[in-house]
């Protein structure tokens, strides 16, 4: 089973990397770009057969280590 | 009696010997504590989580270090009233493990910054800065990529109410000058019980006038036993 975790800065927390990428894109003729956010994706292979159990474990991993919930949100997708 | 200082060392820590040298120069007994240790030596007066790049700063600065065996002992030591000082990466580790509030984000300008910076002392009502005067301006090196202190507005207001904001980045006459985007130009804070301290600047690198500043001395001297 595979877990895909996306971690992004929370809304309201300035994403300096996203802003820099946005300015670069705008400066290169992509004038329709109105916002860019940069995050990270963590892909985890697990020996699990139960989706709910896998999701609960990955959520705990996010709370303990993968995300800093003071500044970041996370989203978990489980692929069988 | 000599003050006994334990200095935490993770893989990737690189300021442990500067820190040891600084406290030894102040007459302290010092000991480097490898992160796989799970106890703090008896009689330790101060634990310093030294600067550097623990675990290569992979994932986030200070994130993987908080999982090391010694951090449980550091937390127990702090919960028991023991004094803990986190410098630079050490500050990041202490916020990651919840001993200090807030978080350290990538510098707003995205660059690594390495230079001397002036700081203003906001309070001396704590062990760390008791040898400094309020509104003292000190000249201390900074060297970081992730020094952009963030805390939400409620947390920020609590810090001020409880006298936990220790230091702000300023120019040489004390006007705010923000190098990295930190909320309210904050360079250092402490916990509510005033036994855990964290700052991004490096007082251990400001011990000799010959090397640019000795203002770090009167900061670290606060930890010496009376």
């Amino acid at each position: 089973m595979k877990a895909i975790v996306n971690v992004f800065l929370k809304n309201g927390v300035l994403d300096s990397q996203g802003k820099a990428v946005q300015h670069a894109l705008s400066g290169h003729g992509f004038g329709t770009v109105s916002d860019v956010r940069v995050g990270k994706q963590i892909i985890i292979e697990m020996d699990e057969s139960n989706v709910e159990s896998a999701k609960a474990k990955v959520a705990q991993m996010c709370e303990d280590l993968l995300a800093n919930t003071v500044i970041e949100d996370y989203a978990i997708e489980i692929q069988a | 009696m000599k003050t006994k200082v334990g200095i935490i060392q993770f893989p990737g820590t690189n300021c442990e010997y500067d820190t040891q040298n600084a406290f030894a120069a102040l007459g302290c007994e010092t000991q480097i504590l490898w992160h796989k240790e799970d106890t703090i030596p008896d009689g330790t007066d101060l634990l310093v989580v030294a600067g550097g790049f623990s675990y290569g700063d992979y994932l986030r600065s200070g994130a993987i270090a908080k999982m090391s065996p010694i951090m449980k002992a550091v937390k127990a030591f702090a919960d028991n009233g023991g004094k803990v000082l986190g410098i630079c990466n050490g500050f990041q580790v202490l916020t990651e493990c919840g001993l200090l509030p807030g978080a350290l984000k990538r510098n707003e300008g995205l660059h690594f910054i390495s230079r001397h910076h002036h700081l203003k002392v906001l309070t001396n009502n704590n062990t760390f800065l008791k040898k400094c005067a309020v509104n003292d301006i000190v000249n201390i090196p900074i060297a970081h990529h992730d020094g952009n202190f963030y805390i939400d507005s409620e947390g920020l207001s609590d810090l001020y109410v409880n006298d936990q904001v220790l230091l702000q980045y300023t120019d040489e006459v004390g006007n705010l000058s923000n190098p990295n985007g930190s909320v309210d130009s904050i360079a250092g804070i402490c916990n509510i019980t005033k036994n855990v301290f964290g700052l991004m600047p490096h007082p251990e690198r400001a011990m000799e006038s010959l090397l640019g500043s000795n203002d770090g001395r009167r900061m670290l001297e606060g930890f010496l036993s009376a």
Side-chain angles (χ1 to χ4, degrees):
Chain A
M1 195 165 279
K2 186 187 274 187
I4 298 175
V5 180
N6 285 304
V7 180
F8 285 92
L9 286 170
K10 290 183 181 204
N11 282 329
V13 177
L14 178 69
D15 179 355
S16 304
Q17 294 182 78
K19 288 283 172 234
V21 174
Q22 181 194 339
H23 286 142
L25 290 173
S26 300
H28 280 71
F30 296 100
T32 54
V33 173
S34 60
D35 190 35
V36 176
R37 298 176 69 207
V38 174
K40 63 187 100 169
Q41 185 170 73
I42 301 159
I43 300 169
I44 303 168
E45 298 282 354
M46 305 173 80
D47 289 328
E48 291 280 340
S49 50
N50 182 297
V51 172
E52 286 313 309
S53 148
K55 199 164 184 175
K57 282 180 186 165
V58 175
Q60 194 61 51
M61 293 178 203
C62 289
E63 293 290 330
D64 289 351
L65 178 65
L66 301 181
N68 179 340
T69 55
V70 175
I71 48 173
E72 293 172 325
D73 286 328
Y74 57 86
I76 300 166
E77 182 192 332
I78 303 286
Q79 292 181 349
Chain B
M1 209 168 74
K2 277 191 172 187
T3 303
K4 193 168 168 181
V5 180
I7 300 158
I8 314 291
Q9 179 188 50
F10 301 102
T13 298
N14 66 12
C15 297
E16 67 273 50
Y17 298 110
D18 286 10
T19 304
Q20 187 171 39
N21 189 61
F23 280 100
L26 297 178
C28 299
E29 181 187 331
T30 63
Q31 188 177 358
I32 303 277
L33 306 174
W34 180 235
H35 73 114
K36 293 219 166 146
E37 304 285 330
D38 55 11
T39 54
I40 305 301
D42 285 346
T44 297
D45 298 298
L46 169 70
L47 284 177
V48 184
V49 188
F53 300 86
S54 56
Y55 294 89
D57 277 352
Y58 300 141
L59 190 64
R60 291 182 309 279
S61 299
I64 298 182
K66 77 174 166 185
M67 313 294 268
S68 276
I70 200 158
M71 287 313 296
K72 268 192 187 155
V74 172
K75 274 183 147 170
F77 181 82
D79 290 345
N80 212 18
K83 293 180 186 67
V84 180
L85 171 66
I87 301 172
C88 199
N89 193 225
F91 184 17
Q92 294 160 342
V93 173
L94 295 180
T95 58
E96 278 285 341
C97 74
L99 280 174
L100 287 173
L104 281 311
K105 289 169 53 197
R106 178 59 36 106
N107 292 342
E108 194 168 82
L110 303 177
H111 292 288
F112 189 97
I113 306 169
S114 177
R115 61 182 167 92
H116 275 258
H117 208 290
H118 290 93
L119 310 170
K120 183 166 76 174
V121 174
L122 268 73
T123 174
N124 61 2
N125 181 24
N126 58 73
T127 303
F128 179 26
L129 297 178
K130 68 172 187 254
K131 297 282 173 80
C132 298
V134 173
N135 292 327
D136 241 3
I137 306 297
V138 292
N139 176 14
I140 304 287
I142 57 173
H144 58 247
H145 208 170
D146 297 315
N148 181 349
F149 181 71
Y150 174 83
I151 192 161
D152 62 21
S153 53
E154 194 181 334
L156 181 66
S157 138
D158 287 347
L159 287 183
Y160 283 116
V161 167
N162 299 314
D163 210 17
Q164 292 172 256
V165 180
L166 303 178
L167 297 157
Q168 280 176 311
Y169 299 102
T170 66
D171 62 15
E172 67 277 12
V173 292
N175 298 312
L176 291 186
S177 167
N178 195 335
N180 55 22
S182 292
V183 166
D184 273 18
S185 224
I186 290 173
I189 59 166
C190 64
N191 66 344
I192 193 162
T193 47
K194 296 189 171 63
N195 63 314
V196 180
F197 307 88
L199 74 167
M200 289 310 297
H202 287 270
E204 83 283 11
R205 296 187 193 174
M207 299 293 287
E208 303 280 352
S209 301
L210 192 62
L211 300 179
S213 170
N214 65 356
D215 290 347
R217 279 184 169 264
R218 67 179 188 274
M219 301 172 79
L220 300 184
E221 277 171 355
F223 290 112
L224 301 186
S225 310

